[in-house]
Amino acid sequence: MRRVRFRVEGKAVPKARARVVTKGKRRFAFTPKRVKEWEEKVKDEASKHFDAAFDWPVVVSLIFYMARPKSRRLDFWVPTTPDLDNLEKSILDALNGVAYTDDRLVVAKSSSKRYAGPDGPYVQITVTSVRDQRSLSEYSS
């Protein structure tokens, strides 16, 4: 088993639906610029930590540290938007081809949204390779 842990500084950007533009009879779908820039930032940081993408099952753990709004109590968990699944999707797509050869290899994942401390917002990413089913059992409940 091999574990790679790193963090990406900055406010996480959730995956947005592809925008569709029609020109004549042709339709074009594109990813919004903000999402594309965030995914590039994640990919660039991940590439510093991976010599080669895993080509076997992996477990991914994501902790999104979000900025604290001035108007809310200082809770631990973040019950507001953006949705956790959309935040996950932008990270998982960005790691494709860098941390793992294809996102179908992600066999288990965990994620949470928490308020950040004085360091500001960032994402803590952990990718653990799982070479056999026995090592996967430690991640299941």
Side-chain angles (χ1 to χ4, degrees):
M1 230 178 0
R2 181 167 171 247
R3 179 171 288 145
V4 178
R5 178 174 286 147
F6 62 98
R7 68 192 260 172
V8 180
E9 301 292 334
K11 181 179 175 185
V13 177
K15 188 73 169 193
R17 290 185 185 186
R19 304 291 187 242
V20 178
V21 176
T22 304
K23 289 188 178 184
K25 292 183 178 184
R26 300 186 86 190
R27 297 180 79 188
F28 301 93
F30 65 95
T31 302
K33 183 180 179 184
R34 244 182 59 172
V35 176
K36 191 175 256 186
E37 289 172 348
W38 171 248
E39 288 179 353
E40 277 303 312
K41 183 175 184 175
V42 172
K43 190 177 290 271
D44 289 345
E45 187 59 37
S47 65
K48 297 175 188 175
H49 301 275
F50 289 89
D51 298 327
F54 293 130
D55 195 21
W56 50 83
V58 297
V59 175
V60 178
S61 173
L62 306 170
I63 304 174
F64 297 91
Y65 291 93
M66 315 292 280
R68 291 179 186 271
K70 293 181 171 99
S71 62
R72 284 196 52 88
R73 282 187 15 235
L74 299 178
D75 296 333
F76 182 74
W77 301 107
V78 181
T80 59
T81 58
D83 294 351
L84 187 58
D85 60 334
N86 294 332
L87 290 168
E88 289 174 343
K89 186 68 176 151
S90 66
I91 299 290
L92 295 175
D93 286 352
L95 295 177
N96 214 2
V98 177
Y100 35 79
T101 55
D102 192 280
D103 55 4
R104 68 179 167 75
L105 295 171
V106 177
V107 295
K109 65 181 179 177
S110 66
S111 59
S112 61
K113 296 187 302 184
R114 303 175 185 176
Y115 285 119
D119 291 350
Y122 66 94
V123 181
Q124 179 76 46
I125 301 170
T126 306
V127 180
T128 307
S129 68
V130 182
R131 284 203 176 246
D132 59 47
Q133 289 300 102
R134 286 172 295 186
S135 54
L136 182 59
S137 67
E138 71 182 72
Y139 292 99
S140 58
S141 306

